[in-house]
Amino acid sequence: MVIFLIGVVRITAKADEKKIIRIETDNISLIYGTNKDGRLYQTYLGQRLHHDSDAVHLPLMGEACLTHGMEDYFEPAVRILHNDGNPSLLLKYVSHEIRQLQPDVNETVIRLRDDVYPVEVQLCYVSYVKENIIKAYTEISHREKKAVTLYRYDSSLLHVMGEKYYLTEFSGDWAREVNMTEQPLAFGKKILDTKLGSRANMFCSPFFLLSLDKVAEENSGEILFGTIAWTGNFHFTFEINQQNQLRILSGINPYASEYSLAPDEIFRTPEFIFTYSTEGKGKASRDFHRWARKYQLKDGEKPRLTLLNNWETTAFNFNEEKLATIMDEAVKLGVDMFLLDDGWFGNKHPRNSDKQGLGDWEVTTAKLPNGIEKLVQEASKREIKFGLWIEPEMVNPRSELYEQHKDWVIRFPNRKEYYFRNQMVLDLSNPKVQDFVFGIVDNLMRKYPDIAYFKWDCNSPITNIYSPYLKDKQSHLYIEHVRGLYNILERVKQKYPDVPMMLCSGGGGRSDYKALSYFTEFWPSDNTDAVERIFIQWGYGHFFPSKTLAAHVTSWGKQPVKFRTDVAMMGKLGFDIRMNEMNLKEQEYCRNAVKNFKRLEYVIGEGDMYRLISPYRSNHAAVMYVSENKKTSVLFAFDIHPRYGERIYPLRLEGLNPNKIYKIKEINLLPDTKSILACNEQTYSGEYLMKVGLTVFSSAHTVSKIIEISQNDIE
Ligand code: GLA
């Protein structure tokens, strides 16, 4: 039976009628089908199948939503305890609806229901047709008399069938984020998860690559890219059964998080976002980038602000005069903004170190006697914008906030406290605390409406895990905390839609796509050594477009200023360095680099990215960005630490039009130096550049080149 609603197709079950549900994009099909038992099964995930009539032949891969207590012996997606103590759940197909949300964006909602208990599970999918991205989430609800307990509530369960499986994880620690490690999977489970609560991704990022049959390659092979849009504890569970069939379960980490679901409540999981490429990693990344810019990021299609930050050069030690000098340097560099970092607040406990003051968001009068107002004025006098660091979710025990509101802090009432970076986490499950945190931004904006940007930090995981507000519902803490954060961020976005914000978490401790719907960019790592950054930006770049990766030139690494700047230009360019650390030529070079960045931001920030040479596999690295019309591209080539006598091979480019003629021009050269590249100022066809390539690498250490490749108008 088919019922048409306005803009919606609703299909309901009729006994014995086999239903086929196709969730599709230009290149991917995810197909479900009902069986005689009335249950729903995944029958396919892979390259798009175009012939509807074939779908009936697809074998069943596994139940769409596996539950606990029934016939399956491996990890379930949903586990529930009913009021009568019965822990079983068996879901049958009821109906499904398909609606168009926007042109080329479709939503499919499949309703499943238990036939013994009044429990309903909706499997929801949003497919982005052109970008080949699918979002999956689940809604669980029931009509039992009292609350049921959810022990497991995954966003998505995907069945994958291959001969071999290779998983790439992105794990590390502070200052060494997103190390890519690939490993084959065999029988049993591999779990990537976090229990850190707030600085959730400090050890492991919420994304993975799963390559079928062979190790992941840039331009060939079947690969699934998955990420969870949740700024808290997550898990990805990869389990291979006795038939070598893989299931991937993704969702909130259920660890210490049994959820008591009231009869009138809908438990909506976060979104699991994925793509499936049959052309390797490169295409999957480009699809993710395009989708993110168009649909997910805050201000996804707008340019970003270049900036000068003061953290690396002053830390907490600054005054008005020093800041004014740094603002002068921002002007010299030609950046859009000065960003004042940590250390500007607290009076009873002035924030002169990370040991105190967090929570007291009043300007330190001893340090900045004329307040933020004066700084905003100084910036506007210089025709630059002013941005400000805040860490609103946290508190130092040495603060007035803590003295007055211990009840707002996540802490045990009866145990000695322990601290991470001398601080604790505010209890965002408490609506009063949400108001307070929103008020930090709101008060600042009302007092100083010219603040143009926030860097929003979060330096501690949740410690001393007890919410004074949640009382007997402690197992809701990890979930309610994140929901509280979203309430705050939503209010900030609604009231201040035009204020860009950087997401930071002691470096890259937060890097998920839900947070990035509120933030224009994020801070990938405190490690700004340029060689390290090549790896870090390479890792994040698998999922995030370059405009989201804040990249600052600093003095962490001792490489030449040009090398450091060229690396930062692959992301969202900024500086955190004093002019006196550079000679005059380097200063002029940096000014020029800012100009080049602004001129080419539409290519680097908006274009398609091609990873050409991996720093993981060679002593060099190369990435290029190609504008949508393929007329302009920017190539970044780095010699990292070549071996003595190493042979240098030409670098083949990608993404160009083979039939057009392109001119090669090395840019970002130091003043008074000339390009030593033989190809500089030469013209080549796109075909030549992609089939033969250019010699751009050298055998020197930490040498960088940025090359602009533009279609020659006179052909
Ligand atoms: C974190 C951030 C840094 C800086 C400091 C300030 O570590 O990652 O960039 O803002 O906090 O305390």
Side-chain angles (χ1 to χ4, degrees):
M1 192 192 327
V2 179
I3 306 168
F4 285 97
L5 303 177
I6 308 163
V8 182
V9 182
R10 173 179 292 165
I11 298 146
T12 49
K14 213 162 128 206
D16 290 344
E17 195 188 330
K18 190 172 159 81
K19 291 280 164 331
I20 289 168
I21 306 165
R22 309 170 67 109
I23 294 143
E24 274 162 341
T25 70
D26 276 350
N27 302 153
I28 311 171
S29 295
L30 170 63
I31 306 182
Y32 292 100
T34 53
N35 198 19
K36 286 200 190 75
D37 58 12
R39 290 149 75 172
L40 184 75
Y41 293 81
Q42 184 188 319
T43 54
Y44 184 79
L45 168 62
Q47 193 164 11
R48 170 102 186 236
L49 294 181
H50 291 96
H51 299 280
D52 282 0
S53 54
D54 286 340
V56 291
H57 304 304
L58 291 165
L60 307 184
M61 293 173 84
E63 202 164 351
C65 182
L66 281 159
T67 53
H68 166 76
M70 306 313 300
E71 298 128 35
D72 183 69
Y73 302 110
F74 294 87
E75 208 58 39
V78 177
R79 180 153 90 86
I80 194 167
L81 185 66
H82 303 285
N83 277 291
D84 62 1
N86 187 314
S88 67
L89 187 69
L90 187 139
L91 296 171
K92 294 206 165 167
Y93 169 88
V94 179
S95 66
H96 70 279
E97 273 182 25
I98 302 166
R99 73 176 76 211
Q100 194 182 54
L101 301 180
Q102 295 174 44
D104 291 322
V105 183
N106 302 318
E107 182 188 58
T108 305
V109 176
I110 310 173
R111 280 174 69 202
L112 307 174
R113 199 185 292 141
D114 191 293
D115 54 4
V116 176
Y117 290 91
V119 174
E120 194 167 295
V121 172
Q122 298 208 125
L123 304 180
C124 312
Y125 304 86
V126 180
S127 51
Y128 298 83
V129 176
K130 296 273 169 254
E131 295 78 17
N132 298 304
I133 295 288
I134 300 177
K135 279 182 172 178
Y137 64 94
T138 299
E139 289 185 349
I140 307 171
S141 60
H142 70 93
R143 293 219 178 104
E144 296 193 17
K145 289 211 171 65
K146 288 194 230 143
V148 301
T149 309
L150 296 180
Y151 289 93
R152 184 94 193 205
Y153 30 77
D154 278 329
S155 303
S156 148
L157 159 61
L158 290 176
H159 298 279
V160 181
M161 257 193 304
E163 276 178 35
K164 291 184 185 151
Y165 308 100
Y166 292 89
L167 173 70
T168 302
E169 65 182 57
F170 298 76
S171 54
D173 198 347
W174 175 78
R176 38 181 238 90
E177 290 86 349
V178 291
N179 293 285
M180 294 177 67
T181 335
E182 187 165 34
Q183 55 188 288
L185 296 177
F187 177 85
K189 265 188 282 190
K190 160 82 184 174
I191 297 175
L192 296 174
D193 72 358
T194 173
K195 301 183 177 74
L196 291 158
S198 42
R199 190 174 166 173
N201 313 145
M202 181 160 53
F203 305 135
C204 183
S205 295
F207 37 86
F208 67 85
L209 321 181
L210 194 278
S211 176
L212 270 86
D213 301 331
K214 58 174 193 166
V215 294
E217 296 291 346
E218 275 305 316
N219 292 323
S220 70
E222 303 207 9
I223 191 158
L224 190 145
F225 273 41
T227 180
I228 186 100
W230 183 246
T231 318
N233 293 351
F234 69 85
H235 86 103
F236 298 124
T237 300
F238 305 86
E239 188 172 34
I240 295 182
N241 68 14
Q242 81 286 9
Q243 289 167 339
N244 196 38
Q245 199 181 341
L246 170 67
R247 70 180 61 171
I248 305 173
L249 298 131
S250 311
I252 295 175
N253 188 353
Y255 170 80
S257 297
E258 305 85 62
Y259 192 88
S260 168
L261 184 69
D264 50 0
E265 192 185 341
I266 295 174
F267 186 93
R268 184 181 162 149
T269 69
E271 290 161 349
F272 173 67
I273 308 166
F274 69 98
T275 186
Y276 190 101
S277 158
T278 52
E279 294 165 45
K281 292 191 278 188
K283 177 171 187 309
S285 292
R286 288 187 287 281
D287 279 343
F288 250 100
H289 296 171
R290 281 204 208 115
W291 162 81
R293 284 190 295 256
K294 188 154 183 202
Y295 297 106
Q296 190 71 14
L297 295 173
K298 180 169 159 56
D299 297 341
E301 291 179 313
K302 292 192 187 155
R304 299 295 187 251
L305 296 168
T306 53
L307 58 82
L308 176 63
N309 186 197
N310 69 310
W311 173 248
E312 288 293 324
T313 54
T314 69
F316 300 93
N317 181 18
F318 55 80
N319 55 28
E320 266 173 18
E321 246 172 40
K322 207 187 234 179
L323 296 182
T325 324
I326 299 179
M327 287 190 210
D328 287 337
E329 295 179 4
V331 175
K332 275 195 199 151
L333 279 167
V335 293
D336 302 308
M337 181 168 60
F338 166 70
L339 168 63
L340 175 59
D341 215 283
D342 195 356
W344 58 268
F345 49 89
N347 283 302
K348 183 171 172 195
H349 305 282
R351 179 80 172 167
N352 291 328
S353 76
D354 63 11
K355 294 195 172 52
Q356 59 185 44
L358 213 48
D360 302 345
W361 298 100
E362 293 293 332
V363 70
T364 311
T365 43
K367 205 185 240 180
L368 300 170
N370 300 300
I372 295 292
E373 200 160 55
K374 171 82 175 158
L375 300 175
V376 177
Q377 278 167 9
E378 289 295 322
S380 89
K381 248 197 326 206
R382 291 167 174 80
E383 294 181 1
I384 53 172
K385 293 179 193 285
F386 179 82
L388 193 61
W389 180 97
I390 48 176
E391 191 176 359
E393 302 159 61
M394 304 277 159
V395 61
N396 281 131
R398 225 191 287 162
S399 68
E400 291 184 75
L401 178 66
Y402 183 90
E403 286 158 10
Q404 289 154 15
H405 272 298
K406 269 193 180 178
D407 56 325
W408 284 5
V409 181
I410 296 181
R411 59 185 288 278
F412 291 109
N414 57 351
R415 286 187 191 277
K416 188 170 175 290
E417 292 169 357
Y418 66 98
Y419 307 127
F420 190 102
R421 208 197 188 206
N422 316 301
Q423 65 194 62
M424 301 183 85
V425 181
L426 293 176
D427 185 1
L428 303 188
S429 69
N430 183 343
K432 283 199 184 128
V433 181
Q434 293 173 22
D435 288 345
F436 168 78
V437 175
F438 169 72
I440 296 168
V441 176
D442 197 32
N443 292 337
L444 283 165
M445 286 307 294
R446 280 192 297 177
K447 272 203 212 152
Y448 318 111
D450 288 337
I451 292 180
Y453 180 91
F454 285 104
K455 174 178 175 186
W456 178 303
D457 213 335
C458 161
N459 277 298
S460 175
I462 298 182
T463 55
N464 306 272
I465 301 156
Y466 182 90
S467 154
Y469 177 77
L470 288 172
K471 301 198 171 66
D472 62 344
K473 286 212 174 140
Q474 291 304 316
S475 66
H476 286 208
L477 173 55
Y478 285 126
I479 294 174
E480 293 301 347
H481 189 75
V482 180
R483 289 178 176 167
L485 173 67
Y486 293 155
N487 287 344
I488 299 161
L489 291 172
E490 194 57 48
R491 286 168 74 182
V492 171
K493 189 173 169 178
Q494 292 303 327
K495 189 151 180 196
Y496 302 105
D498 299 326
V499 179
M501 299 206 292
M502 183 206 290
L503 174 64
C504 178
S505 184
R510 275 181 173 170
S511 52
D512 70 273
Y513 265 122
K514 176 69 183 178
L516 283 171
S517 66
Y518 301 108
F519 291 87
T520 44
E521 60 230 49
F522 71 100
W523 186 233
S525 179
D526 279 346
N527 190 339
T528 42
D529 175 297
V531 168
E532 295 297 324
R533 270 296 179 124
I534 290 178
F535 286 85
I536 291 169
Q537 291 167 200
W538 181 272
Y540 282 117
H542 280 75
F543 283 84
F544 302 106
S546 70
K547 63 168 30 172
T548 61
L549 304 179
H552 297 178
V553 179
T554 74
S555 295
W556 257 56
K558 299 297 164 224
Q559 304 90 5
V561 168
K562 170 171 164 55
F563 187 88
R564 285 183 255 163
T565 310
D566 287 357
V567 171
M569 254 178 78
M570 278 196 297
K572 198 222 81 168
L573 180 65
F575 293 81
D576 195 345
I577 188 169
R578 294 301 305 268
M579 285 298 213
N580 57 17
E581 295 175 57
M582 301 186 232
N583 63 35
L584 288 176
K585 288 209 166 144
E586 288 167 339
Q587 293 180 16
E588 196 186 327
Y589 156 83
C590 284
R591 259 195 305 278
N592 227 332
V594 172
K595 279 192 199 139
N596 279 333
F597 181 75
K598 290 187 174 181
R599 185 172 59 82
L600 293 167
E601 195 183 354
Y602 78 100
V603 185
I604 300 167
E606 314 290 330
D608 275 338
M609 184 187 77
Y610 293 83
R611 286 180 293 263
L612 304 179
I613 294 288
S614 166
Y616 281 90
R617 289 189 182 175
S618 90
N619 300 319
H620 310 266
V623 175
M624 73 187 279
Y625 301 86
V626 182
S627 67
E628 206 182 337
N629 60 13
K630 297 184 182 291
K631 283 196 168 171
T632 310
S633 76
V634 184
L635 167 66
F636 293 80
F638 302 100
D639 302 306
I640 304 175
H641 293 302
R643 301 288 307 276
Y644 175 78
E646 184 184 303
R647 261 195 79 105
I648 301 298
Y649 296 95
L651 174 71
R652 289 189 189 144
L653 309 189
E654 289 177 35
L656 302 173
N657 185 334
N659 301 319
K660 294 284 176 186
I661 300 299
Y662 290 89
K663 180 150 190 197
I664 307 298
K665 186 170 170 49
E666 183 174 1
I667 59 168
N668 265 30
L669 289 160
L670 280 160
D672 306 330
T673 56
K674 286 210 170 96
S675 173
I676 53 162
L677 295 175
C679 58
N680 193 41
E681 305 286 351
Q682 302 295 317
T683 53
Y684 303 86
S685 71
E687 180 188 43
Y688 181 97
L689 295 170
M690 295 192 289
K691 289 188 178 163
V692 181
L694 298 176
T695 303
V696 292
F697 291 130
S698 79
S699 54
H701 286 206
T702 55
V703 169
S704 56
K705 293 180 190 89
I706 302 186
I707 297 162
E708 191 176 337
I709 300 159
S710 347
Q711 256 178 45
N712 218 349
D713 289 332
I714 323 140
E715 283 172 36

